[in-house]
Structure formats: structure tokens, C-alpha cells
Amino acid sequence: NQDPIFYAHHAFTFVVGDLAAKSLEERGIASAPLYGLDMLPQINGVKECPGHNVGDTTIFKNLVRYKSSQEPGSEHTWA
């Protein structure tokens, strides 16, 4: 990228995000890996991105087997 501030801004953004996540974890409010983002649909009652939520089923079949007992052709969720 030719923007001279691009990488500095991205580094700053990631540092702020990491510090916020660390603060949430230290205060016992949330923990890795989702830091409470999985609770948003219950808090505001709205699923933000249907198909991309933790409990949604993907259109892919057997993309990643999380369980050894998963049946061929079954869909998995991210939960």
C-alpha cells in the first residue's frame, strides 16, 4: 500500500484490540477465543450476519471434521 500511515494505523488498531481483549480477560468479563462476541445475539436479540454466526450451519459438507463420529454428508456448525 502506498499510504505512509497504512501500516502504522493497522499496527495501532491491532495493539488496541489486543489490549482490550487482555483487559476483558483480566477482569473476568470474557475469555478467548471469542471474548464475548458469541453472546451478542442473546444481548441484542438480533443475529448480525445469518450464516456466519457461531451456531449457524455452513453450506459446506465435511469441510473440517471436528468429531471422529461425524457422519458423512452431515453439516457442521462453528459451535
Side-chain angles (χ1 to χ4, degrees):
N1 194 333
Q2 295 182 0
D3 183 2
I5 212 78
F6 179 82
Y7 293 110
H9 181 265
H10 271 62
F12 173 76
T13 302
F14 284 113
V15 167
V16 168
D18 288 344
L19 290 175
K22 182 179 177 185
S23 174
L24 287 173
E25 201 161 5
E26 287 174 351
R27 292 186 287 161
I29 296 172
S31 62
L34 298 175
Y35 294 101
L37 292 175
D38 54 334
M39 301 302 291
L40 284 177
Q42 286 129 3
I43 293 169
N44 62 16
V46 177
K47 286 192 167 192
E48 293 293 325
C49 300
H52 298 284
N53 293 296
V54 174
D56 290 346
T57 303
T58 67
I59 60 170
F60 303 103
K61 298 195 184 287
N62 296 322
L63 181 65
V64 177
R65 292 183 186 240
Y66 288 101
K67 300 176 188 167
S68 60
S69 62
Q70 184 177 1
E71 294 181 23
S74 65
E75 299 173 334
H76 75 281
T77 65
W78 294 110

